[in-house]
């Protein structure tokens, strides 16, 4: 008679997230336009739109992480000094959009949907923020420096880091060790199987939100190409700046898309997901 097998150990949350995102990883590996990105074909206007979307997303994520920092699921993985991206993105926004950037940067419908999701879970189920924080921050740490160098070279940016501060983590000396610490802290969070399942599902939701975002960007860029110099005000709702500021008559007119924009549309889809698909693919499977 065979001896009874001991019950298998519960799966770590990080492993559960890795397993749940394997399909997205496979899709990322097979993206044909990745080769174009590696060649440095990065349109300037598309990159600006990417960075503005990231600003809105990280502002929402970090507002909710700060508000819930004493929550049992958030406290172990709350590293504002090491990880927060909002201050760096504010520097990048001023570089790309000028001193009045709070009135200039666009907020697309898909980006706003993502922002609303972050605020919703922050208010109703804060533990689900763990999924968003893990997939974003560890992905950024894994692939950010490579993407930074490509952007600097392709766009002729200063080697001192202006315009790409988002990709630098000056408070983290060793990214590999920090990611190990982060995963161990996250895996130690006390969660019921039902809660862990919801966190995994939220990680999948974050990917879907990003897919919607880059699909919307492709549509907007296609319309710009078709219509020539289509005003950004006709396609994107400007973010109302702090203290209720709105667009003024002195706003700078959007630049006309480059003539070669259409050929770069698949590439721009890649760039828009650079923080959640490309870097997460590297992060989850190369750490």
């Amino acid at each position: 008679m065979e001896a009874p097998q001991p019950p298998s150990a519960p799966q770590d949350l990080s492993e559960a997230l890795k397993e749940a995102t394997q399909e997205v990883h496979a899709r990322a590996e097979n993206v044909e336009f990745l080769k174009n990105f590696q060649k440095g074909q990065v349109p300037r206007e598309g990159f600006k739109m990417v960075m503005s979307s990231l600003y809105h997303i990280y502002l929402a994520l970090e507002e909710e992480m700060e508000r819930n920092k004493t929550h049992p699921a958030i406290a172990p993985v709350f590293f504002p000094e090491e990880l927060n991206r909002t201050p760096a993105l504010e520097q990048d926004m001023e570089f790309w959009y000028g001193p009045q950037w709070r009135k200039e940067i666009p907020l697309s419908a898909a980006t706003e949907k993502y922002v609303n999701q972050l605020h919703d879970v922050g208010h109703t189920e804060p533990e689900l923020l763990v999924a968003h924080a893990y997939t974003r921050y560890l992905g950024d740490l894994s692939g950010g420096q490579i993407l930074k160098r490509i952007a600097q070279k392709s766009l002729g940016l200063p080697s001192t880091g202006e315009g790409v501060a988002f990709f630098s983590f000056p408070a983290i000396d060793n990214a590999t060790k920090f990611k190990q610490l982060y995963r161990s802290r996250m895996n130690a969070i006390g969660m019921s199987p039902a809660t862990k399942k919801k966190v995994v599902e939220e990680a999948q939701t974050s990917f879907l939100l990003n897919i919607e975002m880059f699909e919307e960007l492709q549509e907007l860029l296609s319309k710009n190409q078709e219509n020539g110099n289509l005003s950004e005000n006709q396609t994107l709702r400007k973010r109302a700046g702090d203290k209720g500021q709105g667009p003024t008559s002195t706003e700078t007119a959007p630049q006309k898309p480059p003539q070669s924009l259409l050929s770069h549309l698949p590439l721009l889809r890649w760039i828009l997901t650079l923080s959640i698909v490309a870097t997460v693919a590297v992060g989850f499977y190369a750490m």
Side-chain angles (χ1 to χ4, degrees), residues 93-195:
M93 292 301 95
E94 183 166 1
F95 176 86
W96 291 109
Y97 291 93
Q100 300 298 315
W101 62 269
R102 293 185 188 277
K103 296 184 291 185
E104 295 291 331
I105 60 173
L107 174 62
S108 71
T111 302
E112 186 172 25
K113 180 179 179 181
Y114 196 154
V115 166
N116 289 340
Q117 178 69 10
L118 290 167
H119 286 309
D120 286 345
V121 299
H123 281 81
T124 60
E125 297 178 282
E127 60 273 14
L128 301 187
L129 291 171
V130 173
H132 291 281
Y134 181 64
T135 55
R136 296 219 71 100
Y137 289 128
L138 268 68
D140 298 334
L141 278 170
S142 298
Q145 292 308 302
I146 295 173
L147 296 169
K148 175 184 176 180
R149 288 193 292 270
I150 293 174
Q152 285 177 318
K153 182 177 180 180
S154 302
L155 300 174
L157 299 176
S159 60
T160 47
E162 287 88 342
V164 286
F166 167 76
F167 299 107
S168 297
F169 291 80
I172 296 178
D173 295 327
N174 187 309
T176 299
K177 289 183 178 179
F178 184 84
K179 288 182 290 187
Q180 292 172 347
L181 170 65
Y182 194 98
R183 290 200 311 275
S184 67
R185 289 278 194 92
M186 189 183 70
N187 290 336
I189 297 172
M191 286 187 182
S192 67
T195 299

Side-chain angles (χ1 to χ4, degrees), residues 26 35 50 60 94 109 148 165 171 189 200 205 217 226 228 247-248 265:
K35 293 181 180 180
V50 171
E94 183 166 1
K148 175 184 176 180
I189 297 172
V200 170
T205 296
L217 176 60
E226 293 171 1
T248 69
L265 290 181

Side-chain angles (χ1 to χ4, degrees), residues 186-241:
M186 189 183 70
N187 290 336
I189 297 172
M191 286 187 182
S192 67
T195 299
K196 182 184 291 187
K197 181 175 182 292
K198 294 183 74 172
V199 171
V200 170
E201 290 172 348
E202 189 67 20
Q204 295 170 330
T205 296
S206 72
F207 281 110
L208 294 175
L209 289 167
N210 275 271
I211 291 172
E212 289 184 29
M213 200 164 57
F214 70 69
E215 287 180 344
E216 179 186 53
L217 176 60
Q218 181 177 19
E219 181 181 355
L220 292 171
L221 292 172
S222 297
K223 289 180 179 179
N224 285 352
Q225 179 67 22
E226 293 171 1
N227 299 333
N229 190 21
L230 181 61
S231 171
E232 197 170 47
N233 286 329
Q234 294 176 298
T235 55
L236 295 176
R237 180 172 67 82
K238 295 285 189 177
R239 177 181 174 87

